[in-house]
Amino acid sequence: MTIRKSSSYLALMSLLLVPALASASETSGLSPANTAWMLTATVLVLFMTIPGLALFYGGLVRTKNVLSILMQCFAITCMVSIVWVLFGYSLAFYDGGAHNAWLGGMGKALMAGIGVDTLKGDIPETVFAMFQMTFAIITPALVVGGFAERMKFSATMLFSLLWLLLVYLPVCHWVWGDGWLQQRGMMDFAGGTVVHVNAGVAALVAALVLGKRKGFPDTAMPPHNLTMTVIGACMLWVGWFGFNAGSALAANGTAGMTMLVTHIGAAAGSLTWMFCEWVRYGKPSVLGIVTGMVAGLGTITPASGFVGPLGALAIGVSAGLVCFFSTNYMKRALHVDDSLDVFPVHGVGGIIGTTLTGVFAVKALGGVGLAAGVTMGGQVMTQLTGVLATAVWSGAVSFVVLKSIDAAIGLRVTVEQETEGLDTVLHNETGYNL
């Protein structure tokens, strides 16, 4: 009797296991561990834009413009998501074996050929495409900080769309899609050029084309809600682990080291900025320490998968120091109204981090090492080539796009509308009912 029961039990278990075994054989190249990590990392990077960046930027503007910033971040997230699925992913990452140096093809438009079992390495290609989508979302959202409080919503959406198509997608392909910079051996682990230099230069050009806000620099324009800004900054810090460590595309030692050096870069950038401000102005500010954090994170981003703790510490300190003085110089000496300091924090940080990657990636300084036959000097020149190419392309195309939009529909709200505030004028709402 016992033998019969045991036999029946085994037969039942065998039947239950058949579908699982068949499913496993269909996706034999899939790594569940890597897939789980990449799903988590994707959520973290999306979390950086909404709500992280939206709250960070929203707290920095004046009360009358808080909803306009939240609206821009949210609307850009939605628009980029649709464009990415239609053809953005394909243009950035599909080459069809042709190894096009400048732009991908349309072979994966509308996610053609990508199904449940389609893999990118050992993770589902759907997850890879979604992960990269979150980078495409946050980059034009960062640019918003350069022209905050004075651009029409219609112009913002049109600029973000054209900038994504003409600037982000080509540069993304150059660096990560087997384009000419990747072929030259450029090292950009998670977006020093693709995200930070790209967005920083575009924000600077936008600030210059639109001109200063009414009253700048004579009228004080302090953040209206630093509590909101700090909450957003904390979300950015946590989300950045997905941004950088997720770029390893695996749950492995590289992802672990990337997470560690990312945290070191953020902490070093925060403290350096805080002490610079303390020495120069007599008091450390909350705005200063969280801005230093963003500078440290942006600067360590390109180097994060290539350097060790020593490199991260040096890069973080460099970020806090250089970005602090860049921000003060632009606002106080040059009177450039980059509203939320996108260029001096992200642009300058991206330049520093991308360049120093070529230095601290060498094994003698704790890095992963350079390619065979490549010297530190040679790698630094390659890094600088990538920085220069990205800056020139982003700057030139952004200028042309902005001028074209200005001629077509106008970029800027009127002086009266700017005085009243974009929340009421453009969205017929107010952020607070006090």
Side-chain angles (χ1 to χ4, degrees):
M1 191 62 140
T2 304
I3 295 174
R4 286 182 182 178
K5 286 184 177 179
S6 299
S7 299
S8 300
Y9 177 76
L10 290 172
L12 178 61
M13 290 301 297
S14 298
L15 288 172
L16 292 174
L17 286 171
V18 167
L21 291 171
S23 177
S25 65
E26 289 170 6
T27 56
S28 57
L30 177 73
S31 168
N34 292 345
T35 301
W37 163 235
M38 291 309 301
L39 287 167
T40 304
T42 300
V43 172
L44 286 171
V45 184
L46 181 60
F47 187 71
M48 289 174 66
T49 304
I50 49 172
L53 184 68
L55 292 176
F56 182 75
Y57 275 0
L60 291 175
V61 297
R62 288 168 289 180
T63 306
K64 60 185 179 181
N65 297 313
V66 58
L67 286 183
S68 70
I69 289 291
L70 301 181
M71 179 69 168
Q72 287 166 4
C73 290
F74 202 97
I76 287 172
T77 298
C78 298
M79 179 179 66
V80 173
S81 300
I82 301 302
V83 173
W84 191 255
V85 170
L86 291 177
F87 50 80
Y89 173 68
S90 189
L91 289 175
F93 288 98
Y94 178 77
D95 60 19
H99 303 295
N100 191 325
W102 302 102
L103 191 63
M106 292 291 286
K108 292 194 175 180
L110 286 171
M111 298 288 148
I114 301 177
V116 173
D117 298 324
T118 309
L119 299 182
K120 183 76 172 182
D122 60 4
I123 64 173
E125 189 166 5
T126 51
V127 177
F128 176 78
M130 182 69 189
F131 179 68
Q132 292 297 339
M133 178 199 291
T134 59
F135 283 71
I137 287 169
I138 197 170
T139 309
L142 285 172
V143 181
V144 165
F147 54 75
E149 301 194 300
R150 59 198 187 277
M151 186 185 279
K152 296 178 180 177
F153 181 66
S154 56
T156 299
M157 293 300 289
L158 183 55
F159 170 73
S160 298
L161 174 62
L162 294 176
W163 191 86
L164 174 77
L165 299 178
L166 300 177
V167 180
Y168 182 83
L169 294 180
V171 174
C172 181
H173 181 76
W174 297 352
V175 178
W176 292 334
D178 200 27
W180 70 278
L181 286 173
Q182 189 172 31
Q183 292 171 21
R184 287 175 66 97
M186 183 182 169
M187 304 171 76
D188 185 352
F189 194 74
T193 51
V194 179
V195 176
H196 297 288
V197 174
N198 220 0
V201 170
L204 176 60
V205 172
L208 293 173
V209 170
L210 265 78
K212 304 169 186 176
R213 287 168 290 177
K214 180 186 175 183
F216 181 91
D218 301 318
T219 302
M221 300 179 185
H224 90 280
N225 191 333
L226 274 176
T227 302
M228 180 187 294
T229 294
V230 174
I231 292 171
C234 295
M235 292 175 175
L236 285 171
W237 191 336
V238 173
W240 224 293
F241 293 129
F243 197 85
N244 286 0
S247 294
L249 302 180
N252 57 16
T254 298
M257 179 61 79
T258 300
M259 184 173 285
L260 174 62
V261 301
T262 297
H263 191 70
I264 293 172
S270 296
L271 291 177
T272 303
W273 189 298
M274 182 190 75
F275 282 118
C276 286
E277 194 173 57
W278 205 340
V279 170
R280 182 157 185 177
Y281 300 113
K283 294 180 181 179
S285 72
V286 173
L287 177 59
I289 197 169
V290 297
T291 306
M293 177 215 73
V294 175
L297 288 168
T299 306
I300 193 60
T301 289
S304 56
F306 305 119
V307 305
L310 173 64
L313 186 60
I315 289 172
V317 171
S318 299
L321 190 65
V322 177
C323 293
F324 170 79
F325 286 105
S326 297
T327 300
N328 281 271
Y329 182 72
M330 280 190 63
K331 284 201 177 296
R332 299 173 188 274
L334 299 181
H335 294 163
V336 174
D337 191 13
D338 178 348
S339 308
L340 308 183
D341 301 322
V342 183
F343 178 74
V345 173
H346 294 276
V348 172
I351 292 170
I352 297 169
T354 303
T355 305
L356 291 181
T357 299
V359 176
F360 291 102
V362 299
K363 286 188 176 180
L365 295 175
V368 299
L370 304 178
V374 178
T375 64
M376 181 192 293
Q379 188 62 51
V380 168
M381 289 306 299
T382 299
Q383 301 298 102
L384 288 172
T385 299
V387 167
L388 182 62
T390 301
V392 170
W393 182 259
S394 180
V397 177
S398 297
F399 179 81
V400 172
V401 169
L402 287 164
K403 284 294 187 180
S404 300
I405 295 173
D406 195 25
I409 64 173
L411 284 173
R412 187 166 180 159
V413 297
T414 65
V415 174
E416 293 76 15
Q417 290 173 327
E418 185 180 340
T419 301
E420 187 174 352
L422 304 189
D423 291 357
T424 302
V425 169
L426 300 182
H427 306 295
N428 197 32
E429 296 171 300
T430 58
Y432 303 95
N433 185 19
L434 302 176

